[in-house]
Amino acid sequence: MVEQFTFYFFAALAVISAVLVVTVRNAVYSAVFLITTLLATAGIFLQLRAEFLFVVQIILYVGGIMVLFVFVVMLVDLDVALRQVQFNRQKWVALLVVLAVAGQLVFALALGSEALGLPAAAPESLEPNTESVGLRLFESYMLPFEIASILLLVAMIGAVLLGKRQKPPRSEA
Amino acid sequence: MIPTSHYLYLALALFTIGVLGVLTRRNVIIILMSIELILNAVNINLVAFARHFGSVDGQIFAIFVVTAAAAEAAIGLGIIIAFFRNRETVLADEMDMLKW
């Protein structure tokens, strides 16, 4: 009963604030609603018994990426951006296409797990599993882990280079 | 116990909303935020299937997705800052320097 309540509470919170992220006018409000969505997703992770991902989601997404987003929203000119039209001309076509794709996916999901050839769910076999995640990450997934760290290094160097102020253009003598 | 399909429906809703944001908004920062929504929907799917099959592999893939999302956000926002410094705009349909 508690499980049902927490799932539907977090799911409703995530979907409502996701809609607000896309529709609201001010980019700062969008960022705040995105934080709400990410926190609700973290709750879903905890409910799915993924404790490590729950903590990663809060520290990395909410604490890291969203701070970066809010910084950039503050850096670029808010007042000008607010007075412009927020949606482009293809919005109704886009809505139609997205609804069609969503209908297809709902149809595929409604066909059920037997049509998709999924085995039946393992009954509650995931114990508290931070330790096994760590073991698996450093044993079977060692190479992808190292590649991911190199990706982060490259991204860091690239971000520093992009953010550096260019030299002022040489004046024509 | 919540059936796995309910998690898939939730991820489907978040994914659809994210795609709608990418297709309709003009502000590049909000387009990047919509991409974060899409990546989150993928993570929910991965973790739900990890529970479905009783293995932690899905959670490890979700960790890699979070890593890629962090790199993508850092680079994307760096590009936006550099572009805003040169052209004074954050609107996607005014970024047409490559268009002939």
Side-chain angles (χ1 to χ4, degrees):
Chain A
M1 198 59 218
V2 179
E3 205 182 359
Q4 257 89 355
F5 175 74
T6 48
F7 172 71
Y8 290 113
F9 173 73
F10 283 128
L13 193 63
V15 171
I16 292 170
S17 24
V19 170
L20 285 171
V21 170
V22 176
T23 52
V24 95
R25 192 173 184 81
N26 193 329
V28 180
Y29 295 164
S30 269
V32 172
F33 286 124
L34 185 57
I35 291 175
T36 319
T37 311
L38 294 174
L39 286 176
T41 315
I44 298 273
F45 286 162
L46 190 59
Q47 206 245 344
L48 278 167
R49 289 169 180 63
E51 300 91 6
F52 183 67
L53 261 173
F54 163 74
V55 176
V56 164
Q57 177 93 358
I58 289 183
I59 293 178
L60 219 134
Y61 254 116
V62 183
I65 298 180
M66 285 320 294
V67 170
L68 210 65
F69 266 105
V70 174
F71 251 122
V72 174
V73 171
M74 298 293 180
L75 274 177
V76 304
D77 203 355
L78 266 179
D79 302 332
V80 179
L82 266 183
R83 267 182 267 114
Q84 283 152 336
V85 183
Q86 297 294 312
F87 294 95
N88 57 21
R89 274 166 303 168
Q90 64 199 10
K91 59 187 168 198
W92 296 116
V93 184
L95 186 64
L96 207 70
V97 170
V98 163
L99 282 181
V101 172
Q104 276 184 335
L105 290 175
V106 166
F107 179 66
L109 279 180
L111 281 183
S113 55
E114 70 271 23
L116 294 174
L118 287 179
E124 293 298 337
S125 49
L126 274 183
E127 295 99 33
N129 51 19
T130 306
E131 195 182 338
S132 53
V133 167
L135 281 177
R136 189 55 80 82
L137 196 57
F138 284 106
E139 280 168 2
S140 334
Y141 291 95
M142 194 64 209
L143 183 64
F145 182 79
E146 297 294 342
I147 293 173
S149 62
I150 290 180
L151 171 73
L152 284 179
L153 176 70
V154 172
M156 191 173 75
I157 296 172
V160 170
L161 267 182
L162 282 171
K164 218 167 65 175
R165 186 167 292 278
Q166 269 90 8
K167 269 178 268 170
R170 205 174 298 146
S171 57
E172 261 101 318
Chain B
M1 187 175 161
I2 315 277
T4 306
S5 62
H6 288 204
Y7 293 99
L8 301 186
Y9 282 119
L10 169 64
L12 164 63
L14 288 180
F15 175 81
T16 312
I17 295 166
V19 172
L20 191 64
V22 171
L23 288 178
T24 57
R25 291 303 296 244
R26 292 175 80 211
N27 191 331
V28 192
I29 301 172
I30 297 182
I31 290 179
L32 267 184
M33 290 188 204
S34 306
I35 295 176
E36 300 294 329
L37 273 181
I38 294 174
L39 291 171
N40 252 283
V42 172
N43 273 351
I44 290 177
N45 265 357
L46 286 171
V47 179
F49 276 116
R51 191 198 63 164
H52 186 94
F53 293 115
S55 105
V56 294
D57 288 354
Q59 294 186 23
I60 290 170
F61 273 92
I63 292 171
F64 287 133
V65 170
V66 171
T67 315
E72 171 251 324
I75 295 292
L77 292 172
I79 291 174
I80 291 175
I81 295 267
F83 194 89
F84 185 77
R85 194 182 291 144
N86 288 325
R87 297 291 297 264
E88 300 282 313
T89 180
V90 288
L91 297 182
D93 39 10
E94 287 177 13
M95 299 181 174
D96 52 2
M97 280 183 294
L98 282 178
K99 211 151 98 183
W100 185 38

